[in-house]
Amino acid sequence: MISVGSANGAPGGGQGHSGESASLAWNFSQVFGERMSGEEIQEVDIISAIEFDKTGDHLATGDRGGRVVLFDRCDDKELVLLQLKNRKELEKADHSIPRHPEYRYSTEFQSHEPEFDYLKSLEIEEKINKIRWCHTANGARFVLSTNDKTIKLWKITEKKVKRVTKLNVETPEPLGPKKASLIHNMAQNFEIPPGGIPSLHLPKVSCTETAPFARCRRVYANAHTYHINSISNNSDCETYISADDLRINLWNMEISDLSFNIVDIKPANMEDLTEVITSAEFHPSHCNTLAYSSSKGTIRLIDMRQSALCDRHAILFEEQEAPATRSFFTEIVASISDIKFSRSGRYILSRDYMTLKLWDVNMNASPVVSFKVHEYLRPKLCDLYENDSLFDKFECCLSGDGLRVATGSYSNLFRVFGVTPGSDEATTLECTKTPNRRQAQTPSRFSRFPALSRGRRRGEGFWKVSMNGSYDFSSKLLHLAWHPCANLIACAASNSLYMYYA
């Protein structure tokens, strides 16, 4: 068995935080692509992936139309330069410069196009499934993006914009037909004087500003038979993994025509198939360690040093369910849709349909804490199964300090929980400009029970999520990301990107 991360057992990035942490007060920060009342949403504009880079200075989103949109952080110094020209204006200003991160649109590019597999008669969507920022080099940024079949590496650089300056005349206004005819006649009768025109000079081409430019550097194709659900960068900055339903492949960034299969759970007879891979993630600092989740609700931690084909896991994380509570929907709701390592690598956060769980990599018997996110939907599982909502895949994220976790829900709601010992923080927010308007519906019935062995704790929460008790299953917040260094969450509500700070 391998041991990963700090020896300190307290959640909080392995830094040993203890005691109660005050609940955060969340506020609206920004929105991009806000939907107007009555506006029809185009399918291709719906956001399907969100990712901050490691510094938090850059944010990337992908949509169902195959586009990647990049945002850059506007820090305090840039805001001063943009909004306040000099010190006098700064002294006269009646507004304060925001202390939380703010972003502005940088650029966008078409990452993937719709394709057709003629051998299998299969249409391949252009939808972006995952985005990952890579290690920067020589001032250039790199982004990995993938659809169902093809992964691409994009290089984003600042390109100088050339402009023609120092013209002999000012840029003319649009000419009417009469003025154009008059100038034409004058030009025909014009003669250059014998000494020339001393003021006449050649225009100059100058580069006064830069603009971001994206170029595709690598295309990693033809390596997956099934749909790609995950990509994850390695801490060695040279390799990454891609995962589909049955296999995980290891790639070198510089080699696009060769990958190594490191996990293969495909049985000899497909009728014997009992589970599929749902998510995979590299350890943030140990380049030989990765974790992947399955549709059976298990997480496997593997060590690539053990063998070339990692068909045997080092640690299995699984919470056993009492046989009396099993039903037709048990395996469906137990399927893990997303996993994330904490920044220290000591904890793994997992999200299935009903719960959000935090696991200690050194204690695999049960999670450190568990939050019942969708317990109120248990009586409606039949209806959810019929309209396919039971198969929705919600993502999860951790704060940079590891003290809080977040995940999405229906009616464009998302939840933030505190995971430190003694914390009762459980905030429900709506993805609008007034995120706290449903806070009154969050009941005080949120209890935590200390586990009886090895200091584990387990948390439970249950509340209604709507003013009138109804749920909008068409408005679902599937994708969100937490800033790595600040308490700022970016959420995707359909085609709109909302940001909230605390």
Side-chain angles (χ1 to χ4, degrees), residues 72-88:
D72 292 338
R73 180 175 176 177
C74 293
D75 58 24
D76 293 354
K77 292 181 181 179
E78 289 182 351
L79 284 173
V80 171
L81 293 175
L82 290 172
Q83 300 173 357
L84 307 169
K85 300 292 185 180
N86 51 48
R87 186 181 182 88
K88 291 183 179 180

Side-chain angles (χ1 to χ4, degrees), residues 2-5 54 232-241 248-252 262-263 281-291 301-308 310 341 343-345:
I2 60 175
S3 175
V4 182
K54 287 186 177 180
S232 180
N233 296 325
N234 199 344
S235 58
D236 62 9
C237 301
E238 295 180 356
T239 57
Y240 74 93
I241 56 170
I248 299 177
N249 293 335
L250 179 69
W251 299 83
N252 187 296
I262 56 174
V263 175
E281 184 93 356
F282 256 123
H283 189 278
S285 56
H286 295 183
C287 61
N288 57 282
T289 305
L290 63 95
L301 199 66
I302 61 176
D303 189 342
M304 293 191 296
R305 296 172 298 184
Q306 290 182 343
S307 63
C310 303
F341 272 101
R343 198 169 185 177
S344 67

